[in-house]
Amino acid sequence: VQLQASGGGLVQAGDSLRLSCAVSGHTFSSYAVGWFRQAPGKEREFVAGISWNGGIIYYADSVKGRFTISRDNAKNTVYLQMNSLKPEDTAVYYCAARLHSIVALTTAYGYWGQGTQVTVSS
């Protein structure tokens, strides 16, 4: 399974961005996909995850109400819509995949994309 994250950039506080994670190489609809982020000097943390069929979605408390994860199995793509961005959202964002269920642990995901930088200025 290969993952390609894109859509990052430099924005101001309050702005929006939509990240995309294109997945190839296996049956995309069998995989749960998670978004994680890593800020400088900090550990990688879970942001949001979506089950293989989109029926189960989890968010970190820090992004609830501002971020929305979705998937389009016909396009083999998972999206992360990020609204009301804050400077503390600045990080490299990664998408990752694992079979079937969502978990919030980085170690549970065997497939990772290369990351896309999101920078939010105040």
Side-chain angles (χ1 to χ4, degrees):
V1 178
Q2 294 84 43
L3 297 92
Q4 179 80 29
S6 62
L10 172 63
V11 297
Q12 294 186 331
D15 286 350
S16 299
L17 276 176
R18 189 177 79 158
L19 305 183
S20 297
C21 177
V23 183
S24 61
H26 260 274
T27 306
F28 173 67
S29 59
S30 298
Y31 287 81
V33 175
W35 283 99
F36 295 77
R37 66 186 182 188
Q38 188 166 19
K42 295 188 176 181
E43 292 187 353
R44 193 170 297 187
E45 64 176 2
F46 174 80
V47 175
I50 188 166
S51 64
W52 65 276
N53 64 352
I56 300 173
I57 290 175
Y58 294 142
Y59 295 101
D61 288 343
S62 58
V63 306
K64 278 181 184 175
R66 299 188 299 122
F67 291 11
T68 303
I69 190 171
S70 62
R71 67 188 293 158
D72 185 339
N73 284 354
K75 296 183 178 180
N76 286 9
T77 303
V78 172
Y79 304 99
L80 185 68
Q81 177 67 44
M82 306 186 296
N83 298 330
S84 302
L85 283 161
K86 304 175 181 180
E88 51 263 44
D89 294 318
T90 295
V92 177
Y93 283 70
Y94 300 88
C95 57
R98 67 187 305 272
L99 280 172
H100 303 311
S101 62
I102 312 166
V103 294
L105 297 173
T106 57
T107 54
Y109 289 78
Y111 306 99
W112 289 84
Q114 85 290 358
T116 184
Q117 176 71 47
V118 172
T119 303
V120 185
S121 63
S122 57

PDB file of all heavy atoms in Angstrom, residues 28-46:
ATOM      1  N   PHE A  28      -8.343  -0.456  -1.482  1.00  0.00           N
ATOM      2  CA  PHE A  28      -8.445   0.699  -0.594  1.00  0.00           C
ATOM      3  C   PHE A  28      -9.599   0.565   0.381  1.00  0.00           C
ATOM      4  O   PHE A  28      -9.492   0.947   1.548  1.00  0.00           O
ATOM      5  CB  PHE A  28      -8.606   1.960  -1.454  1.00  0.00           C
ATOM      6  CG  PHE A  28      -8.889   3.205  -0.668  1.00  0.00           C
ATOM      7  CD1 PHE A  28      -7.929   3.732   0.174  1.00  0.00           C
ATOM      8  CD2 PHE A  28     -10.105   3.851  -0.779  1.00  0.00           C
ATOM      9  CE1 PHE A  28      -8.169   4.888   0.892  1.00  0.00           C
ATOM     10  CE2 PHE A  28     -10.354   5.014  -0.070  1.00  0.00           C
ATOM     11  CZ  PHE A  28      -9.393   5.531   0.766  1.00  0.00           C
ATOM     12  N   SER A  29     -10.686   0.014  -0.062  1.00  0.00           N
ATOM     13  CA  SER A  29     -11.876  -0.036   0.778  1.00  0.00           C
ATOM     14  C   SER A  29     -11.726  -0.979   1.962  1.00  0.00           C
ATOM     15  O   SER A  29     -12.594  -1.000   2.834  1.00  0.00           O
ATOM     16  CB  SER A  29     -13.095  -0.426  -0.051  1.00  0.00           C
ATOM     17  OG  SER A  29     -12.895  -1.694  -0.651  1.00  0.00           O
ATOM     18  N   SER A  30     -10.647  -1.737   2.033  1.00  0.00           N
ATOM     19  CA  SER A  30     -10.417  -2.615   3.179  1.00  0.00           C
ATOM     20  C   SER A  30      -9.683  -1.931   4.310  1.00  0.00           C
ATOM     21  O   SER A  30      -9.549  -2.495   5.399  1.00  0.00           O
ATOM     22  CB  SER A  30      -9.600  -3.839   2.745  1.00  0.00           C
ATOM     23  OG  SER A  30     -10.289  -4.602   1.794  1.00  0.00           O
ATOM     24  N   TYR A  31      -9.176  -0.728   4.062  1.00  0.00           N
ATOM     25  CA  TYR A  31      -8.270  -0.087   5.004  1.00  0.00           C
ATOM     26  C   TYR A  31      -8.908   1.079   5.735  1.00  0.00           C
ATOM     27  O   TYR A  31      -9.582   1.921   5.134  1.00  0.00           O
ATOM     28  CB  TYR A  31      -7.024   0.414   4.277  1.00  0.00           C
ATOM     29  CG  TYR A  31      -6.099  -0.700   3.863  1.00  0.00           C
ATOM     30  CD1 TYR A  31      -6.342  -1.434   2.718  1.00  0.00           C
ATOM     31  CD2 TYR A  31      -5.000  -1.031   4.651  1.00  0.00           C
ATOM     32  CE1 TYR A  31      -5.506  -2.483   2.355  1.00  0.00           C
ATOM     33  CE2 TYR A  31      -4.156  -2.061   4.290  1.00  0.00           C
ATOM     34  CZ  TYR A  31      -4.415  -2.786   3.141  1.00  0.00           C
ATOM     35  OH  TYR A  31      -3.592  -3.813   2.788  1.00  0.00           O
ATOM     36  N   ALA A  32      -8.650   1.115   7.033  1.00  0.00           N
ATOM     37  CA  ALA A  32      -8.913   2.331   7.797  1.00  0.00           C
ATOM     38  C   ALA A  32      -7.746   3.282   7.574  1.00  0.00           C
ATOM     39  O   ALA A  32      -6.601   2.858   7.394  1.00  0.00           O
ATOM     40  CB  ALA A  32      -9.046   2.015   9.278  1.00  0.00           C
ATOM     41  N   VAL A  33      -8.041   4.559   7.578  1.00  0.00           N
ATOM     42  CA  VAL A  33      -7.012   5.569   7.351  1.00  0.00           C
ATOM     43  C   VAL A  33      -7.032   6.587   8.482  1.00  0.00           C
ATOM     44  O   VAL A  33      -8.094   7.042   8.901  1.00  0.00           O
ATOM     45  CB  VAL A  33      -7.223   6.273   6.000  1.00  0.00           C
ATOM     46  CG1 VAL A  33      -6.210   7.408   5.821  1.00  0.00           C
ATOM     47  CG2 VAL A  33      -7.085   5.271   4.851  1.00  0.00           C
ATOM     48  N   GLY A  34      -5.866   6.906   8.946  1.00  0.00           N
ATOM     49  CA  GLY A  34      -5.740   7.917   9.992  1.00  0.00           C
ATOM     50  C   GLY A  34      -4.864   9.068   9.537  1.00  0.00           C
ATOM     51  O   GLY A  34      -3.970   8.897   8.703  1.00  0.00           O
ATOM     52  N   TRP A  35      -5.156  10.234  10.090  1.00  0.00           N
ATOM     53  CA  TRP A  35      -4.291  11.389   9.927  1.00  0.00           C
ATOM     54  C   TRP A  35      -3.571  11.629  11.255  1.00  0.00           C
ATOM     55  O   TRP A  35      -4.206  11.599  12.321  1.00  0.00           O
ATOM     56  CB  TRP A  35      -5.080  12.633   9.549  1.00  0.00           C
ATOM     57  CG  TRP A  35      -5.506  12.688   8.119  1.00  0.00           C
ATOM     58  CD1 TRP A  35      -6.721  12.360   7.613  1.00  0.00           C
ATOM     59  CD2 TRP A  35      -4.722  13.113   7.006  1.00  0.00           C
ATOM     60  NE1 TRP A  35      -6.743  12.542   6.263  1.00  0.00           N
ATOM     61  CE2 TRP A  35      -5.522  13.011   5.859  1.00  0.00           C
ATOM     62  CE3 TRP A  35      -3.405  13.567   6.858  1.00  0.00           C
ATOM     63  CZ2 TRP A  35      -5.069  13.352   4.572  1.00  0.00           C
ATOM     64  CZ3 TRP A  35      -2.942  13.899   5.597  1.00  0.00           C
ATOM     65  CH2 TRP A  35      -3.772  13.797   4.474  1.00  0.00           C
ATOM     66  N   PHE A  36      -2.291  11.868  11.148  1.00  0.00           N
ATOM     67  CA  PHE A  36      -1.460  12.166  12.305  1.00  0.00           C
ATOM     68  C   PHE A  36      -0.689  13.453  12.014  1.00  0.00           C
ATOM     69  O   PHE A  36      -0.586  13.863  10.866  1.00  0.00           O
ATOM     70  CB  PHE A  36      -0.466  11.024  12.563  1.00  0.00           C
ATOM     71  CG  PHE A  36      -1.114   9.731  12.950  1.00  0.00           C
ATOM     72  CD1 PHE A  36      -1.726   8.919  12.002  1.00  0.00           C
ATOM     73  CD2 PHE A  36      -1.121   9.318  14.277  1.00  0.00           C
ATOM     74  CE1 PHE A  36      -2.326   7.723  12.363  1.00  0.00           C
ATOM     75  CE2 PHE A  36      -1.713   8.124  14.650  1.00  0.00           C
ATOM     76  CZ  PHE A  36      -2.316   7.332  13.687  1.00  0.00           C
ATOM     77  N   ARG A  37      -0.137  14.043  13.049  1.00  0.00           N
ATOM     78  CA  ARG A  37       0.694  15.223  12.844  1.00  0.00           C
ATOM     79  C   ARG A  37       1.852  15.207  13.818  1.00  0.00           C
ATOM     80  O   ARG A  37       1.760  14.640  14.914  1.00  0.00           O
ATOM     81  CB  ARG A  37      -0.118  16.504  12.978  1.00  0.00           C
ATOM     82  CG  ARG A  37      -0.661  16.768  14.367  1.00  0.00           C
ATOM     83  CD  ARG A  37      -1.587  17.992  14.340  1.00  0.00           C
ATOM     84  NE  ARG A  37      -2.108  18.324  15.648  1.00  0.00           N
ATOM     85  CZ  ARG A  37      -3.047  19.248  15.870  1.00  0.00           C
ATOM     86  NH1 ARG A  37      -3.561  19.942  14.848  1.00  0.00           N
ATOM     87  NH2 ARG A  37      -3.459  19.485  17.095  1.00  0.00           N
ATOM     88  N   GLN A  38       2.908  15.879  13.402  1.00  0.00           N
ATOM     89  CA  GLN A  38       4.084  15.973  14.244  1.00  0.00           C
ATOM     90  C   GLN A  38       4.655  17.376  14.147  1.00  0.00           C
ATOM     91  O   GLN A  38       5.084  17.814  13.071  1.00  0.00           O
ATOM     92  CB  GLN A  38       5.138  14.938  13.833  1.00  0.00           C
ATOM     93  CG  GLN A  38       6.307  14.855  14.788  1.00  0.00           C
ATOM     94  CD  GLN A  38       7.153  13.618  14.557  1.00  0.00           C
ATOM     95  OE1 GLN A  38       7.100  12.985  13.504  1.00  0.00           O
ATOM     96  NE2 GLN A  38       7.934  13.253  15.549  1.00  0.00           N
ATOM     97  N   ALA A  39       4.640  18.064  15.286  1.00  0.00           N
ATOM     98  CA  ALA A  39       5.223  19.395  15.376  1.00  0.00           C
ATOM     99  C   ALA A  39       6.688  19.269  15.784  1.00  0.00           C
ATOM    100  O   ALA A  39       7.080  18.258  16.380  1.00  0.00           O
ATOM    101  CB  ALA A  39       4.450  20.225  16.385  1.00  0.00           C
ATOM    102  N   PRO A  40       7.492  20.277  15.495  1.00  0.00           N
ATOM    103  CA  PRO A  40       8.916  20.208  15.853  1.00  0.00           C
ATOM    104  C   PRO A  40       9.112  19.956  17.340  1.00  0.00           C
ATOM    105  O   PRO A  40       8.498  20.630  18.180  1.00  0.00           O
ATOM    106  CB  PRO A  40       9.441  21.592  15.460  1.00  0.00           C
ATOM    107  CG  PRO A  40       8.526  22.040  14.381  1.00  0.00           C
ATOM    108  CD  PRO A  40       7.175  21.493  14.742  1.00  0.00           C
ATOM    109  N   GLY A  41       9.930  18.977  17.656  1.00  0.00           N
ATOM    110  CA  GLY A  41      10.235  18.670  19.042  1.00  0.00           C
ATOM    111  C   GLY A  41       9.157  17.898  19.777  1.00  0.00           C
ATOM    112  O   GLY A  41       9.290  17.663  20.990  1.00  0.00           O
ATOM    113  N   LYS A  42       8.112  17.505  19.076  1.00  0.00           N
ATOM    114  CA  LYS A  42       7.010  16.773  19.723  1.00  0.00           C
ATOM    115  C   LYS A  42       6.825  15.410  19.074  1.00  0.00           C
ATOM    116  O   LYS A  42       7.274  15.167  17.953  1.00  0.00           O
ATOM    117  CB  LYS A  42       5.719  17.579  19.632  1.00  0.00           C
ATOM    118  CG  LYS A  42       5.749  18.885  20.403  1.00  0.00           C
ATOM    119  CD  LYS A  42       4.386  19.539  20.434  1.00  0.00           C
ATOM    120  CE  LYS A  42       4.399  20.793  21.280  1.00  0.00           C
ATOM    121  NZ  LYS A  42       3.046  21.435  21.344  1.00  0.00           N
ATOM    122  N   GLU A  43       6.133  14.551  19.788  1.00  0.00           N
ATOM    123  CA  GLU A  43       5.837  13.231  19.256  1.00  0.00           C
ATOM    124  C   GLU A  43       4.700  13.325  18.222  1.00  0.00           C
ATOM    125  O   GLU A  43       3.871  14.231  18.271  1.00  0.00           O
ATOM    126  CB  GLU A  43       5.438  12.281  20.377  1.00  0.00           C
ATOM    127  CG  GLU A  43       6.579  11.948  21.332  1.00  0.00           C
ATOM    128  CD  GLU A  43       6.199  10.863  22.325  1.00  0.00           C
ATOM    129  OE1 GLU A  43       5.021  10.475  22.359  1.00  0.00           O
ATOM    130  OE2 GLU A  43       7.099  10.416  23.057  1.00  0.00           O
ATOM    131  N   ARG A  44       4.685  12.347  17.348  1.00  0.00           N
ATOM    132  CA  ARG A  44       3.608  12.269  16.378  1.00  0.00           C
ATOM    133  C   ARG A  44       2.314  11.943  17.117  1.00  0.00           C
ATOM    134  O   ARG A  44       2.280  11.062  17.981  1.00  0.00           O
ATOM    135  CB  ARG A  44       3.927  11.209  15.330  1.00  0.00           C
ATOM    136  CG  ARG A  44       3.036  11.251  14.104  1.00  0.00           C
ATOM    137  CD  ARG A  44       3.571  10.343  13.020  1.00  0.00           C
ATOM    138  NE  ARG A  44       4.893  10.762  12.550  1.00  0.00           N
ATOM    139  CZ  ARG A  44       5.523  10.218  11.520  1.00  0.00           C
ATOM    140  NH1 ARG A  44       4.949   9.232  10.839  1.00  0.00           N
ATOM    141  NH2 ARG A  44       6.716  10.650  11.173  1.00  0.00           N
ATOM    142  N   GLU A  45       1.247  12.639  16.773  1.00  0.00           N
ATOM    143  CA  GLU A  45      -0.020  12.434  17.473  1.00  0.00           C
ATOM    144  C   GLU A  45      -1.167  12.190  16.495  1.00  0.00           C
ATOM    145  O   GLU A  45      -1.154  12.665  15.359  1.00  0.00           O
ATOM    146  CB  GLU A  45      -0.356  13.659  18.343  1.00  0.00           C
ATOM    147  CG  GLU A  45      -0.584  14.933  17.571  1.00  0.00           C
ATOM    148  CD  GLU A  45      -1.014  16.098  18.465  1.00  0.00           C
ATOM    149  OE1 GLU A  45      -1.093  15.934  19.696  1.00  0.00           O
ATOM    150  OE2 GLU A  45      -1.292  17.180  17.911  1.00  0.00           O
ATOM    151  N   PHE A  46      -2.142  11.462  17.000  1.00  0.00           N
ATOM    152  CA  PHE A  46      -3.334  11.155  16.218  1.00  0.00           C
ATOM    153  C   PHE A  46      -4.186  12.412  16.072  1.00  0.00           C
ATOM    154  O   PHE A  46      -4.377  13.165  17.028  1.00  0.00           O
ATOM    155  CB  PHE A  46      -4.120  10.057  16.935  1.00  0.00           C
ATOM    156  CG  PHE A  46      -5.449   9.726  16.327  1.00  0.00           C
ATOM    157  CD1 PHE A  46      -5.533   8.900  15.225  1.00  0.00           C
ATOM    158  CD2 PHE A  46      -6.610  10.236  16.864  1.00  0.00           C
ATOM    159  CE1 PHE A  46      -6.757   8.573  14.666  1.00  0.00           C
ATOM    160  CE2 PHE A  46      -7.838   9.926  16.338  1.00  0.00           C
ATOM    161  CZ  PHE A  46      -7.923   9.090  15.232  1.00  0.00           C
TER     162      PHE A  46
END
